[in-house]
Amino acid sequence: QVQLVESGGGVVQTGESLRLSCAASGIAFSLNAMGWYRQAPGKQRELVATISSGGGGRNYAGSVKGRFTISRDNSKNTVYLQMSSLKPEDTAVYYCHVEVSRWSDYWGPGTQVTVSS
């Protein structure tokens, strides 16, 4: 059974930092690219960042480039999202995602990040 469990969300002030973690089980973690998405109230879910299976390839949404860093530790089956210089518009539920095949993908339950001004 595939499980993705996010942690590390919380309430911070503008300019502060948070690190999100996503622990994966039930998949060959080191063989899969991973992604972080977010969904703000009243908005569609959007891609935040992705990282290749080996960690060498990373992509970011323009709105977070230079402020967020995605990384992974394949020995711990965990992917991270380091968020710095947080803004109120970063407030959202953050989700971990993995696509294990063309027909099968999984989401975590999400973790709330709230940035107050």
Side-chain angles (χ1 to χ4, degrees), residues 33-52:
M34 300 293 297
W36 283 98
Y37 288 71
R38 68 185 181 187
Q39 187 166 18
K43 295 188 177 181
Q44 288 189 328
R45 192 171 296 189
E46 63 175 358
L47 178 66
V48 176
T50 61
I51 187 167
S52 62

Side-chain angles (χ1 to χ4, degrees), residues 38 46-49 60-69 90 94:
R38 68 185 181 187
E46 63 175 358
L47 178 66
V48 176
Y60 298 93
S63 58
V64 307
K65 196 172 294 185
R67 300 188 298 121
F68 290 12
T69 301
D90 295 317
Y94 284 72

Side-chain angles (χ1 to χ4, degrees), residues 53-109:
S53 57
R58 307 178 192 191
N59 290 290
Y60 298 93
S63 58
V64 307
K65 196 172 294 185
R67 300 188 298 121
F68 290 12
T69 301
I70 189 170
S71 62
R72 65 191 295 159
D73 186 339
N74 285 348
S75 70
K76 296 181 179 179
N77 286 8
T78 300
V79 61
Y80 305 96
L81 186 68
Q82 178 68 47
M83 306 185 294
S84 303
S85 302
L86 283 161
K87 306 175 181 179
E89 50 264 43
D90 295 317
T91 294
V93 178
Y94 284 72
Y95 298 91
C96 184
H97 175 260
V98 63
E99 183 177 296
V100 297
S101 74
R102 289 177 58 189
W103 307 275
S104 182
D105 68 335
Y106 298 90
W107 297 89

